[in-house]
Amino acid sequence: MQQSSLLARFLAEQLGNGSFELVPCQGGKNNQCYQVKQVDKSYFLKCFFAGPSGKFPKLKAEYNFLNALQLQDNHQVAKPIAVDFNNGYLLTEFMVGRSITAEDINADSESRYVQQCINFILAINTNVHQSTHDKNQASLQQASDAITNLDDAYQIVEKRLSRAKNTIDRTDVITHECLDFITNVLAEKLAEINLLINEKNRFTPLNSDCISPSDFGFHNAMLITKEASSSSLTDELTFFDFEYAGHDSKYKLVADFFCQPRHPVDISYLTLFVQQPFFRTLIDEQTTFIVILALTQLKWNLILLNEFIPEIANRREFSGQSNNEILSVQLQRSKAYFSLHETKLNHAKQILCNASNLKADGMKYSCIVCHAEHVERVYQSKEEHCVASDCRPLGFNFAIYQCQACGHYQKNIDDAYQQNVEEVYASYQAYQLTKGKEQLNFSADVPSSRCQMILNHCQELLPKSGRMLDVGAGSGVMLAAMTALKGDWQLYAQDVSAHQADMLKKNYKLIDFYQGDLHYIEEQFDLITLVHVLEHVWQLDSLLSTLKSKLSSTGKIIFQVPNIDENEWDFAIYDHVSHFSKQTLAQLVLQYFPFVYWPKNQIDKELTVVASLTAFPSSENKSNETINSHKIFDPQKKCIEHFDNNVQHLLNIKQQAINSVAVLGTGPSASYAGCILGEKVSCWLDEDKHKIGQLFCGYPVKPLSAITKNEFIVLPYPAVQSRRIKERLSDYRFY
Ligand SMILES: [Zn+2]
């Protein structure tokens, strides 16, 4: 039977005997499309071109996809009405709309159309009704040319390339030029990309399966005007052409969306995709996606040259589109398309890199000090114990991360951490044993004599007079030390809380007290001090650049932080987000200040560094050599090993058949040891007589003399210090 009579019979069966008119439409390249017009109704008819086997696999893919979406009640595609798998006919409802143009997309300042594309993908992949969804999943097959690993993606391009090389004859100037372009440019590029595919990853499953319309993009979309409400209209995208639809990789889906050349979509819209958890894998596996994006560009380069391949050119005649002049146009298009490859890839890399930095719910991706992206978790607490810097026991798990570029140890500032720390600060207790009234005072456990020591260590660098600002002033221990120092200083103080402002102003004759942000301070200072502040700061960049702008040209800044290298117990302090070593502190400070000075005398287990914009007069003032060495701090993770040993040691004590132990000290590490030992702790021991008799974490503080020489003492200190204590108190028994 003639094709036309088969078609007439198909339509008559579906539409009855009423008269109808066939109006050709511009359709896909693999078929002929018609509007079937009846008096009061229209349908859309697609006549498929038979495949080599005489069957219609594309019709099958399209029909199954439309059918699956119908079960989901999706209105962004046409409803299928009838199908003839033997002769390749598909009849669907007729959607009245218009093609979307590049102008429409450019004028869409709210990115509504790209968002509608994303929503469509999310909708067809959303598990609305589990049972229908499963049925849909089952009825859909692998998309044609679906990829499951990087090698699949490579082979798709390789096959197209070989076919082009083998079937295009060098018959004239234009075919010559085309083959040269394929062999010299495209094949070279493919070899280059192939080198990027790690042999180990080549066959690793991509694990990015989704239901994909395949060949998805604005070229297969139409704008349909719908009623948004009773009074307003809105344009909505409807999608068609699902000849390749089925299960496929998300990477390929997105890469095709941005690479199809008929309706180019700016790669900057990639940002909208990766905001969706559904596409999060593009951020997590950026390298994989970029390789697939590069291969997809090459694929489209070759598709643009399809007209040169005799087999495909024939097919085009079927849909009435063949034209010899097309060859020259297509070759120029392919060359122009190729020239944009690198720009698109670089832009995509940038977007993914930014997105991973912003990634809200997981690992923070860049180092708080050097911004390197490779930050690894190196410790995970086994039990829900840690302490606040005010010594309170806390019931949180905690993890320590180490930057693999500079070695800086840090916490991960994710949502849970931020929330927990904010709670800790909101209920921050004055250091119990000094009965301070202060809230949120990080330096509360720093007696003013310690601040005097710090100033003494730096004294030769300090001018005799000027303006001095103490950041994180707390109860004013540094201001007190400054007042005791000879000289003519005008004192200023800042703190996150204004709680102590009046007391500080009165006691230290402050010129001004600032609450919160340093940004708004207008003065410049000759001396700025931050005692035990930096290790709490989440936004080091912003703080340090602000400080730099508030420093006079010859001014000095003193930073005082705990030294993780000398005291690994600091890891257990939950609100200490940074755990500095001399190297990582230098790495940080030298990013903002060209000169740093390390006082010869340092307080035990702490670090003092002085920074300046001008050279120090003393001979030891050179920019520090630690920064030049660029060596990663603690590559062997000794600090972690020590900390882990400490915890293990305490857990061992807990298991021993012994009724009670005393813990020496009343600082954060003693509190942490108390958390782990629990009921085993009978009391705290302290040599400071002011603390004796008070309660610390619910247990009394006693003098050493109060315990029998038979009772064991736990020393929550770094090894060096523990050894010294044992030597000094050789009459006692220690664990
Ligand atoms: Zn780093």
Side-chain angles (χ1 to χ4, degrees):
M1 228 191 284
Q2 284 295 305
Q3 208 217 353
S4 58
S5 58
L6 287 169
L7 178 58
R9 201 172 69 182
F10 170 72
L11 290 175
E13 273 170 19
Q14 304 308 324
L15 306 175
N17 293 324
S19 67
F20 52 80
E21 186 191 349
L22 285 188
V23 184
C25 309
Q26 248 194 339
K29 293 186 173 175
N30 305 311
N31 45 60
Q32 288 174 314
C33 300
Y34 302 94
Q35 179 182 4
V36 184
K37 273 184 157 175
Q38 283 189 315
V39 182
D40 54 349
K41 207 163 178 174
S42 276
Y43 300 90
F44 185 72
L45 172 70
K46 215 166 163 181
C47 303
F48 285 75
F49 184 79
S53 62
K55 291 199 171 126
F56 301 94
K58 288 175 176 158
L59 168 60
K60 202 159 191 319
E62 174 142 336
Y63 179 76
N64 283 347
F65 185 79
L66 286 178
N67 220 23
L69 264 58
Q70 230 40 63
L71 292 172
Q72 282 189 5
D73 207 19
N74 188 305
H75 298 295
Q76 285 174 288
V77 297
K79 211 180 274 178
I81 290 167
V83 63
D84 179 344
F85 288 118
N86 293 325
N87 301 302
Y89 305 137
L90 175 64
L91 193 69
T92 67
E93 69 173 311
F94 189 82
M95 316 276 265
V96 184
R98 64 173 179 91
S99 302
I100 183 165
T101 62
E103 289 76 54
D104 291 325
I105 302 169
N106 288 335
D108 175 22
S109 56
E110 290 162 14
S111 316
R112 283 193 316 121
Y113 298 135
V114 174
Q115 198 59 58
Q116 284 181 26
C117 290
I118 295 172
N119 293 346
F120 178 62
I121 298 301
L122 297 180
I124 65 177
N125 279 282
T126 299
N127 186 352
V128 189
H129 308 293
Q130 188 62 48
S131 57
T132 18
H133 186 73
D134 289 348
K135 229 185 284 162
N136 296 348
Q137 291 263 9
S139 70
L140 287 173
Q141 299 168 350
Q142 285 278 96
S144 111
D145 275 353
I147 61 168
T148 56
N149 56 40
L150 280 176
D151 193 61
D152 289 344
Y154 170 79
Q155 294 299 339
I156 287 174
V157 186
E158 215 286 320
K159 275 184 199 139
R160 282 186 180 271
L161 192 95
S162 302
R163 180 175 64 170
K165 278 204 293 197
N166 297 333
T167 57
I168 301 174
D169 288 329
R170 287 182 187 265
T171 50
D172 52 20
V173 181
I174 189 77
T175 48
H176 256 281
E177 192 187 337
C178 178
L179 276 171
D180 285 349
F181 177 58
I182 290 173
T183 333
N184 300 337
V185 181
L186 302 184
E188 290 282 300
K189 189 46 121 185
L190 181 61
E192 203 181 288
I193 298 170
N194 195 30
L195 287 177
L196 296 175
I197 306 177
N198 175 333
E199 282 314 308
K200 208 182 83 199
N201 295 336
R202 184 175 290 274
F203 297 102
T204 308
L206 293 173
N207 288 329
S208 60
D209 183 65
C210 70
I211 296 174
S212 168
S214 258
D215 195 13
F216 179 61
F218 286 116
H219 60 298
N220 284 328
M222 205 162 56
L223 272 180
I224 296 204
T225 306
K226 290 188 176 168
E227 238 176 63
S229 64
S230 56
S231 61
S232 72
L233 297 172
T234 177
D235 280 344
E236 272 184 26
L237 284 173
T238 300
F239 300 93
F240 54 84
D241 211 351
F242 305 109
E243 298 168 7
Y244 305 96
H247 285 273
D248 204 346
S249 157
K250 291 173 190 175
Y251 304 120
K252 179 158 162 275
L253 167 69
V254 178
D256 274 327
F257 181 80
F258 285 104
C259 293
Q260 54 83 16
R262 268 182 282 168
H263 270 78
V265 186
D266 197 289
I267 191 74
S268 59
Y269 287 115
L270 182 60
T271 314
L272 294 179
F273 280 78
V274 297
Q275 280 169 2
Q276 299 293 336
F278 183 76
F279 291 110
R280 188 59 56 77
T281 182
L282 270 64
I283 305 173
D284 295 338
E285 304 292 335
Q286 334 191 345
T287 330
T288 303
F289 175 67
I290 292 294
V291 168
I292 290 171
L293 189 64
L295 288 168
T296 307
Q297 295 194 110
L298 268 189
K299 178 183 81 179
W300 282 100
N301 259 117
L302 288 159
I303 293 174
L304 285 170
L305 300 175
N306 271 350
E307 306 292 337
F308 284 84
I309 295 171
E311 178 202 5
I312 299 175
N314 285 340
R315 194 190 306 169
R316 297 285 151 91
E317 264 165 36
F318 176 84
S319 54
Q321 288 180 3
S322 185
N323 185 339
N324 281 337
E325 287 163 7
I326 286 179
L327 293 186
S328 163
V329 174
Q330 289 302 105
L331 181 56
Q332 293 323 309
R333 284 184 70 191
S334 188
K335 286 185 171 180
Y337 182 84
F338 184 84
S339 67
L340 301 172
H341 275 207
E342 285 310 305
T343 319
K344 188 178 266 184
L345 285 179
N346 287 334
H347 197 165
K349 282 182 203 165
Q350 189 63 49
I351 288 167
L352 295 173
C353 173
N354 291 345
S356 58
N357 287 340
L358 287 173
K359 213 169 119 167
D361 64 342
M363 250 291 295
K364 159 177 70 66
Y365 265 63
S366 62
C367 169
I368 193 172
V369 164
C370 77
H371 308 293
E373 290 207 3
H374 193 185
V375 183
E376 255 180 30
R377 186 169 69 187
V378 290
Y379 181 83
Q380 174 67 55
S381 68
K382 294 164 199 80
E383 310 198 7
E384 290 184 338
H385 292 308
C386 58
V387 293
S389 52
D390 64 359
C391 297
R392 253 183 308 161
L394 300 173
F396 305 131
N397 270 314
F398 66 98
I400 305 294
Y401 294 79
Q402 187 185 33
C403 169
Q404 299 305 298
C406 74
H408 183 59
Y409 287 115
Q410 54 207 289
K411 303 265 171 44
N412 176 21
I413 312 177
D414 60 12
D415 290 349
Y417 180 79
Q418 293 188 24
Q419 210 179 334
N420 289 341
V421 170
E422 272 158 17
E423 273 172 32
V424 167
Y425 287 167
S427 55
Y428 209 82
Q429 292 163 11
Y431 186 60
Q432 295 109 319
L433 302 186
T434 53
K435 290 189 179 159
K437 292 168 197 146
E438 59 270 27
Q439 272 193 323
L440 201 54
N441 172 14
F442 302 135
S443 50
D445 57 341
V446 182
S448 62
S449 63
R450 291 260 287 297
C451 284
Q452 275 170 14
M453 281 167 75
I454 296 167
L455 289 176
N456 285 339
H457 295 162
C458 307
Q459 201 162 19
E460 52 179 347
L461 304 174
L462 303 181
K464 292 281 172 284
S465 64
R467 286 185 178 142
M468 184 265 199
L469 169 69
D470 185 35
V471 177
S475 61
V477 282
M478 180 46 100
L479 296 169
M482 207 58 202
T483 309
L485 208 71
K486 281 179 202 152
D488 182 18
W489 287 93
Q490 297 167 278
L491 302 182
Y492 295 73
Q494 179 273 358
D495 206 302
V496 276
S497 154
H499 204 74
Q500 323 243 21
D502 291 339
M503 179 275 290
L504 293 175
K505 280 183 190 163
K506 187 167 148 261
N507 288 3
Y508 306 108
K509 301 192 180 73
L510 294 188
I511 309 290
D512 210 344
F513 175 90
Y514 309 104
Q515 185 190 358
D517 205 338
L518 295 163
H519 241 92
Y520 306 103
I521 300 178
E522 281 169 12
E523 278 77 10
Q524 287 209 313
F525 302 93
D526 305 293
L527 178 63
I528 301 177
T529 51
L530 292 91
V531 177
H532 289 241
V533 171
L534 276 192
E535 66 269 29
H536 295 267
V537 175
W538 297 350
Q539 308 277 350
L540 286 169
D541 280 337
S542 142
L543 174 68
L544 287 172
S545 50
T546 307
L547 287 174
K548 184 176 176 175
S549 69
K550 308 299 169 204
L551 195 63
S552 71
S553 59
T554 57
K556 309 281 181 285
I557 300 197
I558 299 177
F559 297 102
Q560 184 80 12
V561 296
N563 183 353
I564 196 65
D565 222 4
E566 292 185 1
N567 184 12
E568 66 279 1
W569 291 85
D570 198 68
F571 285 137
I573 303 180
Y574 193 76
D575 48 322
H576 283 182
V577 64
S578 274
H579 304 280
F580 291 103
S581 66
K582 185 175 176 184
Q583 286 91 329
T584 62
L585 182 61
Q587 162 97 19
L588 174 70
V589 175
L590 284 168
Q591 285 174 36
Y592 300 88
F593 303 95
F595 300 97
V596 297
Y597 173 87
W598 300 92
K600 245 179 276 158
N601 296 314
Q602 295 273 336
I603 290 173
D604 259 5
K605 303 187 283 183
E606 296 183 20
L607 286 163
T608 309
V609 67
V610 190
S612 174
L613 298 168
T614 43
F616 292 99
S618 122
S619 56
E620 303 175 50
N621 65 6
K622 280 175 244 128
S623 277
N624 199 281
E625 70 282 356
T626 50
I627 193 76
N628 299 327
S629 67
H630 276 298
K631 264 197 224 143
I632 172 173
F633 162 67
D634 198 14
Q636 311 293 327
K637 303 179 183 53
K638 285 281 173 211
C639 294
I640 293 290
E641 190 187 318
H642 293 158
F643 182 72
D644 204 22
N645 289 343
N646 295 343
V647 174
Q648 210 49 55
H649 182 60
L650 291 170
L651 289 170
N652 289 343
I653 295 172
K654 193 180 178 181
Q655 311 229 311
Q656 310 231 339
I658 182 171
N659 285 335
S660 70
V661 293
V663 178
L664 183 69
T666 48
S669 60
S671 169
Y672 180 62
C675 292
I676 294 184
L677 294 169
E679 309 268 279
K680 285 260 154 107
V681 180
S682 67
C683 68
W684 314 98
L685 300 174
D686 207 290
E687 296 178 277
D688 180 345
K689 60 175 184 288
H690 298 292
K691 296 178 182 172
I692 308 294
Q694 301 189 42
L695 284 182
F696 178 71
C697 301
Y699 298 93
V701 181
K702 295 180 179 175
L704 272 165
S705 58
I707 64 155
T708 67
K709 305 243 158 139
N710 291 324
E711 194 167 8
F712 282 96
I713 300 175
V714 174
L715 297 176
Y717 301 100
V720 181
Q721 213 182 349
S722 293
R723 204 177 314 125
R724 265 190 245 141
I725 294 171
K726 285 178 187 172
E727 282 165 14
R728 186 161 59 83
L729 306 173
S730 56
D731 292 345
Y732 294 86
R733 300 173 66 185
F734 297 97
Y735 261 120

